[in-house]
Amino acid sequence: MVIVMKTGATNEQIETVIKRVAELGMKPHTVKGEEKTIIGCVGNDDILRSHPIEQFEGVESVQTITKPYKFASREFKKEDTIIDVKGIKIGGGNFAVMAGPCSVEGEEMMFSTAKMASEAGARILRGGAFKPRTSPYDFQGLGEEGLRYMQNAARQYNMAVVTEVMDVREIELIDKYADMFQIGARNMQNFSLLKEIGKTQKPILLKRGMSSTIKDLLMAAEYIIAGGNNQVILCERGIRTFETYTRNTIDMNIIPSAKELSHLPIILDPSHGTGKRSLVTPMALSGLVAGADGLMIEVHPQPEVALSDGPQSLRFNEFQELMEKVKKYLEFENKRIG
Ligand code: PEP
Ligand code: MN
């Protein structure tokens, strides 16, 4: 259940209600909106039904949330959540582009990519330093060295850093270098990782598991929010279907669906979604039309020699052309870039 406080409810009134909720054995979770404060209550709803919280001063209403993903649901919060990554906004009409190589391969390539991507309008630099590779014999990432290259390149070009955390043991290290943590598709239901990442203070990019439903994705987001971090950005990156021509199948339905069901922003990754360079731009633009709040695009100075995901990485000129189209469309939609 959620308790909606009246516009202008005092801090004291809010604190009194929170205290009462805790006394009743429920876990209160407060979200301060622009106008109203909402207190989500996790636990047995029957307890609240039999104790009239409505009668406390400053309470406007007590509502039942029917969805199992309480805090992630639109029922809980009507307005779009806007996530702030080092001053870059995502959601609620703010569009952000994250670009960079699949893996951080060296310092020079991170600098040249950051320069090109930031000049083209991307404000978040991506790159994996810890890579989830299907084969143990494939390049596994440069680890901390890679994180350092990425952070230096991002600082130089005034960008934020997003990078994947594969394991609970990496959180502390990655926290020193990243502005946003990425949870990869293979880890979307790694519940220990979701719980731990929920204890951090930075935004989380949560990628959809390759055989997960929208409900599974929102439940994964719920784990992070219930853990204490409500800065979650969802990401569609394609799912496994019977189609083999493309690496994955982009489920474009999820973009408007997520907007109906949740207040969280959702972005599209057409690189992993298609696995083919020639399809990245058309699918990226389709994502914009579907209402995505951002894009994650793999780009590489020389995709032919990339250590991972070369076939789906855009060349610099292709990324620049994509960004010109993105900007034109955002103007048409009256949306701002980051
Ligand atoms: C990635 O973004 O580098 C990645 C590995 O993506 P996914 O988890 O979607 O496969
Ligand atoms: Mn990749």
Side-chain angles (χ1 to χ4, degrees):
M1 287 186 132
V2 294
I3 301 166
V4 182
M5 300 299 293
K6 286 182 182 154
T7 307
T10 64
N11 278 343
E12 202 185 335
Q13 289 169 340
I14 296 168
E15 286 309 316
T16 308
V17 172
I18 291 172
K19 199 165 150 245
R20 180 65 180 146
V21 168
E23 268 167 22
L24 292 172
M26 302 190 85
K27 203 171 157 213
H29 182 94
T30 313
V31 177
K32 284 199 192 315
E34 272 176 24
E35 281 193 7
K36 291 181 180 164
T37 294
I38 295 169
I39 304 161
C41 308
V42 182
N44 182 356
D45 283 354
D46 291 338
I47 301 176
L48 273 194
R49 283 198 196 93
S50 52
H51 292 82
I53 294 278
E54 289 90 340
Q55 288 175 22
F56 278 74
E57 276 184 73
V59 173
E60 183 175 288
S61 61
V62 179
Q63 296 171 12
T64 307
I65 295 189
T66 52
K67 298 285 191 299
Y69 40 88
K70 307 277 178 209
F71 299 132
S73 74
R74 215 20 119 181
E75 282 176 79
F76 174 61
K77 187 166 173 270
K78 301 275 177 295
E79 327 85 70
D80 289 344
T81 285
I82 300 173
I83 308 282
D84 189 311
V85 186
K86 264 184 93 179
I88 302 157
K89 296 203 165 34
I90 309 169
N94 302 284
F95 192 89
V97 181
M98 308 170 195
C102 177
S103 308
V104 178
E105 298 172 9
E107 190 157 32
E108 214 182 293
M109 61 92 72
M110 287 314 289
F111 272 76
S112 63
T113 306
K115 180 174 192 297
M116 183 284 298
S118 62
E119 283 170 2
R123 298 194 59 200
I124 304 176
L125 185 63
R126 68 144 281 144
F130 294 90
K131 292 303 300 177
R133 303 306 301 279
T134 303
S135 165
Y137 309 117
D138 286 341
F139 177 58
Q140 301 289 309
L142 294 180
E144 185 167 8
E145 189 189 349
L147 293 172
R148 213 166 28 238
Y149 297 155
M150 187 158 38
Q151 191 184 56
N152 289 341
R155 279 200 186 132
Q156 174 80 28
Y157 296 102
N158 198 20
M159 297 175 89
V161 166
V162 59
T163 194
E164 177 163 355
V165 181
M166 288 205 299
D167 191 291
V168 169
R169 290 167 294 186
E170 294 160 3
I171 296 178
E172 212 181 305
L173 174 71
I174 294 180
D175 192 31
K176 292 191 203 145
Y177 297 94
D179 303 300
M180 172 158 59
F181 295 109
Q182 174 172 323
I183 301 289
R186 291 156 193 82
N187 265 318
M188 191 207 80
Q189 286 189 316
N190 179 339
F191 299 114
S192 320
L193 182 57
L194 297 178
K195 281 182 193 165
E196 280 307 307
I197 211 81
K199 294 180 190 163
T200 64
Q201 306 295 318
K202 289 180 181 162
I204 316 288
L205 180 68
L206 178 64
K207 298 189 90 175
R208 180 186 188 174
M210 45 192 109
S211 55
S212 303
T213 63
I214 183 166
K215 184 178 164 194
D216 296 334
L217 175 63
L218 292 171
M219 290 308 289
E222 188 74 10
Y223 258 93
I224 300 172
I225 303 174
N229 187 340
N230 56 19
Q231 307 166 77
V232 181
I233 298 167
L234 309 171
C235 179
E236 164 64 19
R237 45 79 72 210
I239 50 173
R240 284 263 163 94
T241 65
F242 51 79
E243 182 55 73
T244 54
Y245 178 67
T246 45
R247 181 175 177 184
N248 290 292
T249 300
I250 294 181
D251 170 19
M252 208 60 94
N253 289 347
I254 198 173
I255 293 176
S257 306
K259 299 221 159 281
E260 283 179 8
L261 297 173
S262 173
H263 53 86
L264 298 172
I266 180 162
I267 70 160
L268 176 69
D269 166 359
S271 306
H272 295 90
T274 61
K276 282 187 159 65
R277 183 177 311 124
S278 63
L279 304 182
V280 170
T281 295
M283 293 315 287
L285 296 172
S286 309
L288 257 70
V289 179
D293 298 295
L295 291 171
M296 172 173 259
I297 307 283
E298 284 186 345
V299 43
H300 194 286
Q302 231 188 319
E304 312 59 42
V305 297
L307 295 179
S308 61
D309 288 351
Q312 69 191 33
S313 300
L314 291 190
R315 301 177 201 285
F316 284 6
N317 67 315
E318 292 166 327
F319 181 75
Q320 288 160 332
E321 282 162 25
L322 165 63
M323 287 302 288
E324 286 313 311
K325 292 179 182 164
V326 166
K327 285 180 211 159
K328 281 201 184 121
Y329 185 73
L330 291 179
E331 228 169 83
F332 167 72
E333 282 271 13
N334 217 359
K335 286 185 178 169
R336 298 161 294 277
I337 196 149

